Amino acid sequence: MTVAANTVTSVRDAGHGAPGAFGDRGDDTVLELDGVTKTYPAVPPVVALSSVSFRVRRGELVAIVGPSGSGKSTLLHVMGTLERPTSGIVRIAGLDVAGLDDRALSVVRATRIGFVFQQFFLAEHQSALDNVADGLLYAGLPAPQRRPLAGRALDRVGLAHRASFRPTKLSGGERQRVAIARALVGQPAIVLADEPTGNLDSANGTAIFALLQELHAGGTTIVVITHDHQLAARLPRQIEMLDGRITTDNAASATGDPSSNHRARNSDIAAGRNAGRAG
């Protein structure tokens, strides 16, 4: 077994701890942040996130929305394990990632999180199929297994007929579909989409938005990070951020869970108190 495969196995096993651990509570939470703070050293220190807490359940389609400087990009990095929080807990599919080393975090990103970025980040010298297959490089799968899975992922986003094309021969909307297929190919617990329509014209943006809704209807858990309040308003749940804090979270109306509404109200109250102190 390869080093990558060994690490994959150990990370998966770590998600099934003793009874009573997060992953064994019987709920369907795939992402949880509890009291997460991110502070960057400076004089004075820059607080990018302050006491951020929320959960995303399996099958949800969530928008995290806020203006530039609100903390949503930092939140994306923390949710995606690209940065470690200064304090607080981040759990991905039941796994507390705080104690993982860099290799194990790489495996978490490869096996549990799918990323879609505004800039696509496709290798121009490779075909669409190979770009998608590269999404499995760190998952411990041998090359002969990666390409068939990549083909199925392209078919899922309606792009099987363009599998042999390089990104330079694809439209912006098609390139974003390739990026979405790459995010989906490893069957992650959650997909994080950072401004997925930001680099597209209105027609392609509408098509990508429709694709995300279709994937959600098929059971994919998706969090969209955006500054576009109009786009966010079209999603079932919106989490609004300002100055590193959650100001509103309509989780109750999105999930029908009264306890989530209670958490959202508490977040609003805390934000109001903090704002009052700052004023």
Side-chain angles (χ1 to χ4, degrees):
M1 187 178 288
T2 66
V3 172
N6 274 321
T7 310
V8 169
T9 301
S10 62
V11 167
R12 285 175 177 161
D13 290 346
H16 300 281
F22 174 77
D24 296 318
R25 291 185 313 196
D27 65 20
D28 57 355
T29 304
V30 295
L31 170 68
E32 181 180 31
L33 278 70
D34 186 2
V36 167
T37 297
K38 180 64 179 180
T39 303
Y40 294 101
V43 182
V46 176
V47 180
L49 297 175
S50 179
S51 299
V52 172
S53 299
F54 64 90
R55 293 180 185 176
V56 176
R57 289 178 167 171
R58 185 178 297 111
E60 278 200 88
L61 175 56
V62 184
I64 294 177
V65 62
S68 296
S70 62
K72 62 184 187 298
S73 293
T74 302
L75 181 58
L76 167 69
H77 292 165
V78 170
M79 290 189 298
T81 73
L82 299 169
E83 291 189 55
R84 297 177 186 268
T86 304
S87 61
I89 295 171
V90 179
R91 294 187 177 99
I92 308 292
L95 178 64
D96 186 345
V97 300
L100 300 182
D101 60 21
D102 290 343
R103 182 186 292 275
L105 284 177
S106 295
V107 174
V108 169
R109 288 191 290 272
T111 60
R112 301 192 178 199
I113 306 170
F115 292 95
V116 179
F117 295 104
Q118 179 178 350
Q119 298 86 358
F120 316 136
F121 293 123
L122 301 177
E124 293 191 357
H125 64 284
Q126 291 186 324
S127 67
L129 182 70
D130 288 331
N131 267 282
V132 175
D134 280 354
L136 295 168
L137 276 174
Y138 298 101
L141 288 179
Q145 294 181 27
R146 294 198 295 265
R147 289 174 65 85
L149 291 172
R152 286 196 284 273
L154 281 173
D155 184 56
R156 191 176 177 191
V157 301
L159 215 59
H161 64 294
R162 307 284 271 177
S164 63
F165 285 67
R166 294 184 180 184
T168 52
K169 301 297 183 181
L170 301 175
S171 69
E174 288 174 330
R175 279 178 279 172
Q176 190 61 294
R177 286 176 182 268
V178 174
I180 292 171
R182 182 180 56 195
L184 295 172
V185 68
Q187 297 183 323
I190 191 167
V191 172
L192 304 178
D194 183 23
E195 301 284 5
T197 63
N199 268 354
L200 304 176
D201 58 38
S202 59
N204 278 311
T206 299
I208 291 300
F209 182 81
L211 173 61
L212 293 176
Q213 290 180 308
E214 180 183 333
L215 294 170
H216 165 244
T220 305
T221 307
I222 305 172
V223 175
V224 177
I225 296 86
T226 182
H227 69 280
D228 188 338
H229 282 266
Q230 290 185 334
L231 184 151
R234 296 166 63 191
L235 301 188
R237 178 182 175 191
Q238 302 90 42
I239 297 174
E240 296 195 31
M241 294 194 68
L242 186 65
D243 297 332
R245 299 183 179 94
I246 292 176
T247 58
T248 59
D249 180 355
N250 70 335
S253 60
T255 65
D257 174 16
S259 65
S260 62
N261 189 40
H262 177 71
R263 291 192 296 271
R265 285 201 303 271
N266 285 345
S267 176
D268 291 345
I269 292 168
R273 287 173 178 167
N274 289 327
R277 293 192 190 104

